Amino acid sequence: MSPLPVTPLPETFTIKINDVDVTAQSGQTVLQVARENNIDVPSLCNLEGLTAWGGCRLCLVEVLPQGRLMPACTTACYQHMELLTHSPRLVQYRKMIVELMFAERNHICSVCVSNGHCDLQDMAVKLGVTHIHVPYRYPSLPVDSSHKDFRLDHNRCILCSRCVRVCDEIEGAHTKGVSGRGIDCMIVNDLAAPWGESDTCTSCSKCVHVCPTGALTEKGTSAGEMAKRRKFLPYLSLMREDD
């Protein structure tokens, strides 16, 4: 009888974050190690339980000695790695990114159902973004209210793709996708059909509860009521891996 294969333990090594030595394992990303050690690295597109995408660029870190800017959510750790997470340069870039997000679409917090429960709003407060230095685009974007339970407001979407990934990786419905290029990108259902006419949507509400803003909401909610429930994601991801 042949012996069972032995899975080698991941290699453990030390990296330096903000001049502090921390332990990392092979295969871990900078963001994972930072969060394990209670080091705050902001992000809007990353969410535990979903694959890393690296789209929002808020988690950029400065890798020394060259000073290269790398997304923490997709950058693997390596031995003797040294990096900074909150240098003046990074703080400036993060503020600029958040300002551009607010300017790109129509985010009016006072009348948004996610006011007080919005990751973009919280990020602006954390970074001290009190006003915008770039011109607002004020695009004319539609609101899809065709679904009987949910609403998709493109005016409040930041294209983080959380809804696309949870629909694909967790629910397995593959309903949502991203259409277009650049500033013309939009979240679509099936082949750009109204959400209420989708043949693949299971009405599971997962996409609604991973949305960081008020772009995806439940109908019947008023301003300040749309709290998001996301604790199911790590559990469902673990169950999916075990299958």
Side-chain angles (χ1 to χ4, degrees):
M1 188 174 183
S2 58
L4 293 175
V6 177
T7 303
L9 294 174
E11 179 187 2
T12 301
F13 47 84
T14 300
I15 68 173
K16 195 181 291 289
I17 302 180
N18 300 330
D19 208 31
V20 176
D21 289 335
V22 297
T23 301
Q25 293 183 335
S26 56
Q28 281 190 307
T29 64
V30 170
L31 186 61
Q32 289 172 331
V33 174
R35 288 180 173 173
E36 283 183 0
N37 290 274
N38 297 317
I39 301 171
D40 177 52
V41 177
S43 176
L44 284 175
C45 68
N46 186 269
L47 194 62
E48 185 181 359
L50 298 178
T51 57
W53 186 57
C56 73
R57 314 310 273 186
L58 283 167
C59 72
L60 287 176
V61 293
E62 195 168 341
V63 181
L64 304 176
Q66 295 88 354
R68 293 181 61 191
L69 299 183
M70 304 291 290
C73 64
T74 58
T75 300
C77 297
Y78 55 85
Q79 195 163 19
H80 306 309
M81 185 181 200
E82 295 185 33
L83 58 96
L84 301 174
T85 62
H86 288 80
S87 67
R89 179 187 180 196
L90 290 171
V91 172
Q92 179 186 359
Y93 282 0
R94 286 172 184 152
K95 287 183 177 181
M96 185 187 308
I97 291 168
V98 170
E99 287 186 27
L100 291 172
M101 287 182 180
F102 274 103
E104 184 178 25
R105 298 204 175 180
N106 304 306
H107 299 278
I108 306 174
C109 298
S110 59
V111 296
C112 180
V113 297
S114 291
N115 184 22
H117 302 288
C118 173
D119 293 0
L120 178 61
Q121 187 183 53
D122 291 344
M123 189 65 67
V125 172
K126 180 187 293 187
L127 295 175
V129 177
T130 57
H131 57 282
I132 310 301
H133 296 86
V134 295
Y136 285 91
R137 291 189 60 243
Y138 296 117
S140 178
L141 298 174
V143 177
D144 185 350
S145 294
S146 59
H147 195 284
K148 63 183 180 66
D149 297 316
F150 312 122
R151 181 179 292 108
L152 169 57
D153 187 348
H154 293 283
N155 294 278
R156 295 163 180 170
C157 178
I158 60 172
L159 296 169
C160 67
S161 85
R162 284 185 184 182
C163 60
V164 177
R165 284 175 282 154
V166 77
C167 189
D168 178 17
E169 299 167 14
I170 306 300
E171 184 62 17
H174 313 287
T175 299
K176 284 183 163 46
V178 181
S179 173
R181 300 183 65 183
I183 60 173
D184 296 322
C185 281
M186 301 271 280
I187 298 296
V188 296
N189 296 285
D190 297 334
L191 296 176
W195 195 357
E197 298 177 10
S198 170
D199 294 327
T200 59
C201 179
T202 63
S203 299
C204 68
S205 81
K206 292 183 180 66
C207 59
V208 174
H209 289 284
V210 299
C211 178
T213 65
L216 288 167
T217 56
E218 295 174 348
K219 287 185 175 179
T221 52
S222 60
E225 291 184 340
M226 190 59 222
K228 305 297 177 74
R229 300 185 297 273
R230 299 170 183 156
K231 293 183 178 179
F232 65 89
L233 262 180
Y235 171 78
L236 292 180
S237 297
L238 183 61
M239 294 301 100
R240 191 177 183 88
E241 291 173 3
D242 290 342
D243 288 342

